[in-house]
PDB file of all heavy atoms in Angstrom:
ATOM      1  N   LYS A  18     -25.282  -4.763  -5.430  1.00 52.00           N
ATOM      2  CA  LYS A  18     -26.175  -4.448  -6.537  1.00 52.00           C
ATOM      3  C   LYS A  18     -25.519  -3.468  -7.492  1.00 52.00           C
ATOM      4  O   LYS A  18     -25.668  -3.561  -8.709  1.00 52.00           O
ATOM      5  CB  LYS A  18     -27.483  -3.852  -5.998  1.00 52.00           C
ATOM      6  CG  LYS A  18     -28.287  -4.805  -5.132  1.00 52.00           C
ATOM      7  CD  LYS A  18     -29.030  -5.837  -5.953  1.00 52.00           C
ATOM      8  CE  LYS A  18     -30.225  -5.213  -6.651  1.00 52.00           C
ATOM      9  NZ  LYS A  18     -31.008  -6.210  -7.399  1.00 52.00           N
ATOM     10  N   ASN A  24     -30.720 -10.037  -8.902  1.00 47.00           N
ATOM     11  CA  ASN A  24     -31.748 -10.012  -7.867  1.00 47.00           C
ATOM     12  C   ASN A  24     -31.844 -11.306  -7.071  1.00 47.00           C
ATOM     13  O   ASN A  24     -32.556 -11.377  -6.078  1.00 47.00           O
ATOM     14  CB  ASN A  24     -33.113  -9.718  -8.504  1.00 47.00           C
ATOM     15  CG  ASN A  24     -33.190  -8.309  -9.043  1.00 47.00           C
ATOM     16  OD1 ASN A  24     -32.558  -7.411  -8.500  1.00 47.00           O
ATOM     17  ND2 ASN A  24     -33.945  -8.110 -10.117  1.00 47.00           N
ATOM     18  N   PHE A  34     -21.974 -13.501   0.454  1.00 37.00           N
ATOM     19  CA  PHE A  34     -20.842 -13.189   1.328  1.00 37.00           C
ATOM     20  C   PHE A  34     -19.505 -13.394   0.622  1.00 37.00           C
ATOM     21  O   PHE A  34     -18.560 -12.661   0.879  1.00 37.00           O
ATOM     22  CB  PHE A  34     -20.929 -14.024   2.613  1.00 37.00           C
ATOM     23  CG  PHE A  34     -22.066 -13.615   3.494  1.00 37.00           C
ATOM     24  CD1 PHE A  34     -23.237 -14.335   3.513  1.00 37.00           C
ATOM     25  CD2 PHE A  34     -21.970 -12.470   4.264  1.00 37.00           C
ATOM     26  CE1 PHE A  34     -24.302 -13.929   4.312  1.00 37.00           C
ATOM     27  CE2 PHE A  34     -23.033 -12.056   5.067  1.00 37.00           C
ATOM     28  CZ  PHE A  34     -24.201 -12.793   5.089  1.00 37.00           C
ATOM     29  N   GLY A  39     -15.061 -11.664  -0.433  1.00 49.00           N
ATOM     30  CA  GLY A  39     -14.027 -12.461  -1.076  1.00 49.00           C
ATOM     31  C   GLY A  39     -13.844 -13.769  -0.327  1.00 49.00           C
ATOM     32  O   GLY A  39     -14.215 -13.895   0.838  1.00 49.00           O
ATOM     33  N   THR A  46     -15.110 -21.505  -6.576  1.00 44.00           N
ATOM     34  CA  THR A  46     -15.466 -20.972  -7.897  1.00 44.00           C
ATOM     35  C   THR A  46     -15.876 -19.509  -7.823  1.00 44.00           C
ATOM     36  O   THR A  46     -15.899 -18.818  -8.838  1.00 44.00           O
ATOM     37  CB  THR A  46     -16.628 -21.776  -8.507  1.00 44.00           C
ATOM     38  OG1 THR A  46     -17.737 -21.745  -7.608  1.00 44.00           O
ATOM     39  CG2 THR A  46     -16.207 -23.212  -8.766  1.00 44.00           C
ATOM     40  N   TYR A  71      16.473   8.024  -0.744  1.00 98.00           N
ATOM     41  CA  TYR A  71      16.470   6.559  -0.779  1.00 98.00           C
ATOM     42  C   TYR A  71      16.571   5.988   0.633  1.00 98.00           C
ATOM     43  O   TYR A  71      15.861   5.037   0.988  1.00 98.00           O
ATOM     44  CB  TYR A  71      17.632   6.063  -1.639  1.00 98.00           C
ATOM     45  CG  TYR A  71      17.827   4.568  -1.600  1.00 98.00           C
ATOM     46  CD1 TYR A  71      17.146   3.734  -2.475  1.00 98.00           C
ATOM     47  CD2 TYR A  71      18.708   3.990  -0.673  1.00 98.00           C
ATOM     48  CE1 TYR A  71      17.331   2.356  -2.429  1.00 98.00           C
ATOM     49  CE2 TYR A  71      18.895   2.626  -0.622  1.00 98.00           C
ATOM     50  CZ  TYR A  71      18.202   1.813  -1.500  1.00 98.00           C
ATOM     51  OH  TYR A  71      18.386   0.454  -1.446  1.00 98.00           O
ATOM     52  N   GLU A  78      11.134  -0.242   8.539  1.00 97.00           N
ATOM     53  CA  GLU A  78      10.901  -0.389   9.973  1.00 97.00           C
ATOM     54  C   GLU A  78      10.571   0.935  10.665  1.00 97.00           C
ATOM     55  O   GLU A  78      10.013   0.942  11.774  1.00 97.00           O
ATOM     56  CB  GLU A  78      12.111  -1.035  10.662  1.00 97.00           C
ATOM     57  CG  GLU A  78      13.406  -0.231  10.591  1.00 97.00           C
ATOM     58  CD  GLU A  78      14.259  -0.564   9.371  1.00 97.00           C
ATOM     59  OE1 GLU A  78      13.689  -0.894   8.318  1.00 97.00           O
ATOM     60  OE2 GLU A  78      15.501  -0.482   9.501  1.00 97.00           O
ATOM     61  N   LEU A  88       0.385   1.680  11.108  1.00 93.00           N
ATOM     62  CA  LEU A  88       0.242   1.515  12.549  1.00 93.00           C
ATOM     63  C   LEU A  88       1.408   0.749  13.154  1.00 93.00           C
ATOM     64  O   LEU A  88       1.736   0.930  14.321  1.00 93.00           O
ATOM     65  CB  LEU A  88      -1.071   0.790  12.849  1.00 93.00           C
ATOM     66  CG  LEU A  88      -2.319   1.431  12.236  1.00 93.00           C
ATOM     67  CD1 LEU A  88      -3.544   0.585  12.525  1.00 93.00           C
ATOM     68  CD2 LEU A  88      -2.508   2.850  12.739  1.00 93.00           C
ATOM     69  N   ASP A  98      22.880  -9.788   0.907  1.00 88.00           N
ATOM     70  CA  ASP A  98      23.611 -10.210  -0.286  1.00 88.00           C
ATOM     71  C   ASP A  98      22.703 -10.365  -1.503  1.00 88.00           C
ATOM     72  O   ASP A  98      23.150 -10.369  -2.646  1.00 88.00           O
ATOM     73  CB  ASP A  98      24.345 -11.520  -0.031  1.00 88.00           C
ATOM     74  CG  ASP A  98      23.415 -12.648   0.395  1.00 88.00           C
ATOM     75  OD1 ASP A  98      22.410 -12.349   1.074  1.00 88.00           O
ATOM     76  OD2 ASP A  98      23.686 -13.803   0.046  1.00 88.00           O
ATOM     77  N   ALA A 104       9.021  -7.590   5.439  1.00 97.00           N
ATOM     78  CA  ALA A 104       8.547  -6.799   6.568  1.00 97.00           C
ATOM     79  C   ALA A 104       7.063  -7.056   6.793  1.00 97.00           C
ATOM     80  O   ALA A 104       6.320  -7.341   5.846  1.00 97.00           O
ATOM     81  CB  ALA A 104       8.774  -5.311   6.307  1.00 97.00           C
ATOM     82  N   GLN A 110      -7.239   2.613   8.259  1.00 70.00           N
ATOM     83  CA  GLN A 110      -7.957   3.873   8.109  1.00 70.00           C
ATOM     84  C   GLN A 110      -9.279   3.722   8.832  1.00 70.00           C
ATOM     85  O   GLN A 110     -10.046   2.794   8.551  1.00 70.00           O
ATOM     86  CB  GLN A 110      -8.212   4.201   6.643  1.00 70.00           C
ATOM     87  CG  GLN A 110      -8.967   5.530   6.460  1.00 70.00           C
ATOM     88  CD  GLN A 110      -9.580   5.661   5.073  1.00 70.00           C
ATOM     89  OE1 GLN A 110      -9.972   4.662   4.485  1.00 70.00           O
ATOM     90  NE2 GLN A 110      -9.657   6.869   4.565  1.00 70.00           N
ATOM     91  N   SER A 116      -3.059  -6.419   8.501  1.00 90.00           N
ATOM     92  CA  SER A 116      -1.645  -6.778   8.601  1.00 90.00           C
ATOM     93  C   SER A 116      -1.283  -7.656   7.414  1.00 90.00           C
ATOM     94  O   SER A 116      -2.058  -8.536   7.033  1.00 90.00           O
ATOM     95  CB  SER A 116      -1.375  -7.540   9.906  1.00 90.00           C
ATOM     96  OG  SER A 116      -1.627  -6.721  11.023  1.00 90.00           O
ATOM     97  N   SER A 119       5.175  -7.781   3.423  1.00 95.00           N
ATOM     98  CA  SER A 119       5.652  -7.090   2.233  1.00 95.00           C
ATOM     99  C   SER A 119       7.039  -7.613   1.884  1.00 95.00           C
ATOM    100  O   SER A 119       7.948  -7.585   2.715  1.00 95.00           O
ATOM    101  CB  SER A 119       5.711  -5.579   2.479  1.00 95.00           C
ATOM    102  OG  SER A 119       6.079  -4.889   1.307  1.00 95.00           O
ATOM    103  N   LYS A 120       7.183  -8.141   0.670  1.00 97.00           N
ATOM    104  CA  LYS A 120       8.484  -8.606   0.186  1.00 97.00           C
ATOM    105  C   LYS A 120       9.121  -7.481  -0.621  1.00 97.00           C
ATOM    106  O   LYS A 120       8.532  -7.004  -1.589  1.00 97.00           O
ATOM    107  CB  LYS A 120       8.312  -9.870  -0.659  1.00 97.00           C
ATOM    108  CG  LYS A 120       7.769 -11.043   0.148  1.00 97.00           C
ATOM    109  CD  LYS A 120       7.739 -12.324  -0.666  1.00 97.00           C
ATOM    110  CE  LYS A 120       7.298 -13.498   0.205  1.00 97.00           C
ATOM    111  NZ  LYS A 120       7.297 -14.781  -0.551  1.00 97.00           N
ATOM    112  N   GLN A 150      18.792  11.825 -10.200  1.00 96.00           N
ATOM    113  CA  GLN A 150      19.266  13.164  -9.859  1.00 96.00           C
ATOM    114  C   GLN A 150      18.321  14.221 -10.410  1.00 96.00           C
ATOM    115  O   GLN A 150      17.862  14.143 -11.545  1.00 96.00           O
ATOM    116  CB  GLN A 150      20.660  13.363 -10.448  1.00 96.00           C
ATOM    117  CG  GLN A 150      21.203  14.790 -10.361  1.00 96.00           C
ATOM    118  CD  GLN A 150      21.483  15.225  -8.934  1.00 96.00           C
ATOM    119  OE1 GLN A 150      22.110  14.493  -8.180  1.00 96.00           O
ATOM    120  NE2 GLN A 150      21.020  16.406  -8.557  1.00 96.00           N
ATOM    121  N   THR A 157      16.348  15.401  -5.841  1.00 98.00           N
ATOM    122  CA  THR A 157      15.995  14.072  -6.352  1.00 98.00           C
ATOM    123  C   THR A 157      14.640  14.111  -7.027  1.00 98.00           C
ATOM    124  O   THR A 157      13.687  14.707  -6.500  1.00 98.00           O
ATOM    125  CB  THR A 157      15.935  13.050  -5.202  1.00 98.00           C
ATOM    126  OG1 THR A 157      17.216  12.955  -4.583  1.00 98.00           O
ATOM    127  CG2 THR A 157      15.509  11.676  -5.699  1.00 98.00           C
ATOM    128  N   LEU A 163       1.963   2.840  -7.907  1.00 94.00           N
ATOM    129  CA  LEU A 163       1.175   1.961  -7.052  1.00 94.00           C
ATOM    130  C   LEU A 163       0.187   1.185  -7.917  1.00 94.00           C
ATOM    131  O   LEU A 163      -0.595   1.774  -8.666  1.00 94.00           O
ATOM    132  CB  LEU A 163       0.423   2.792  -6.003  1.00 94.00           C
ATOM    133  CG  LEU A 163      -0.405   2.050  -4.968  1.00 94.00           C
ATOM    134  CD1 LEU A 163       0.486   1.212  -4.062  1.00 94.00           C
ATOM    135  CD2 LEU A 163      -1.233   3.035  -4.136  1.00 94.00           C
ATOM    136  N   ASN A 178     -11.644   6.282  -1.259  1.00 70.00           N
ATOM    137  CA  ASN A 178     -11.159   7.645  -0.972  1.00 70.00           C
ATOM    138  C   ASN A 178      -9.741   7.637  -0.428  1.00 70.00           C
ATOM    139  O   ASN A 178      -8.929   8.509  -0.748  1.00 70.00           O
ATOM    140  CB  ASN A 178     -12.096   8.332   0.025  1.00 70.00           C
ATOM    141  CG  ASN A 178     -13.452   8.647  -0.569  1.00 70.00           C
ATOM    142  OD1 ASN A 178     -13.583   8.775  -1.787  1.00 70.00           O
ATOM    143  ND2 ASN A 178     -14.464   8.752   0.271  1.00 70.00           N
ATOM    144  N   ILE A 188       4.192  10.514  -0.504  1.00 94.00           N
ATOM    145  CA  ILE A 188       5.290  11.374  -0.950  1.00 94.00           C
ATOM    146  C   ILE A 188       5.470  12.558  -0.003  1.00 94.00           C
ATOM    147  O   ILE A 188       6.593  12.914   0.360  1.00 94.00           O
ATOM    148  CB  ILE A 188       5.077  11.844  -2.394  1.00 94.00           C
ATOM    149  CG1 ILE A 188       5.250  10.658  -3.348  1.00 94.00           C
ATOM    150  CG2 ILE A 188       6.048  12.957  -2.762  1.00 94.00           C
ATOM    151  CD1 ILE A 188       5.114  10.999  -4.817  1.00 94.00           C
ATOM    152  N   CYS A 195      12.307  13.674   5.446  1.00 97.00           N
ATOM    153  CA  CYS A 195      13.614  14.203   5.030  1.00 97.00           C
ATOM    154  C   CYS A 195      13.884  15.547   5.699  1.00 97.00           C
ATOM    155  O   CYS A 195      15.018  15.824   6.121  1.00 97.00           O
ATOM    156  CB  CYS A 195      13.661  14.352   3.509  1.00 97.00           C
ATOM    157  SG  CYS A 195      13.821  12.801   2.606  1.00 97.00           S
ATOM    158  N   ASN A 203      21.065  20.297   5.134  1.00 59.00           N
ATOM    159  CA  ASN A 203      20.930  20.665   3.721  1.00 59.00           C
ATOM    160  C   ASN A 203      20.811  22.172   3.533  1.00 59.00           C
ATOM    161  O   ASN A 203      21.231  22.719   2.527  1.00 59.00           O
ATOM    162  CB  ASN A 203      19.703  19.983   3.106  1.00 59.00           C
ATOM    163  CG  ASN A 203      20.043  18.609   2.571  1.00 59.00           C
ATOM    164  OD1 ASN A 203      20.788  17.879   3.212  1.00 59.00           O
ATOM    165  ND2 ASN A 203      19.528  18.265   1.407  1.00 59.00           N
TER     166      ASN A 203
END
Side-chain angles (χ1 to χ4, degrees):
K18 296 283 286 183
N24 292 329
F34 291 101
T46 57
Y71 173 88
E78 63 270 32
L88 306 176
D98 58 327
Q110 180 197 32
S116 296
S119 184
K120 296 186 175 182
Q150 171 67 48
T157 299
L163 183 65
N178 291 336
I188 290 182
C195 286
N203 272 41

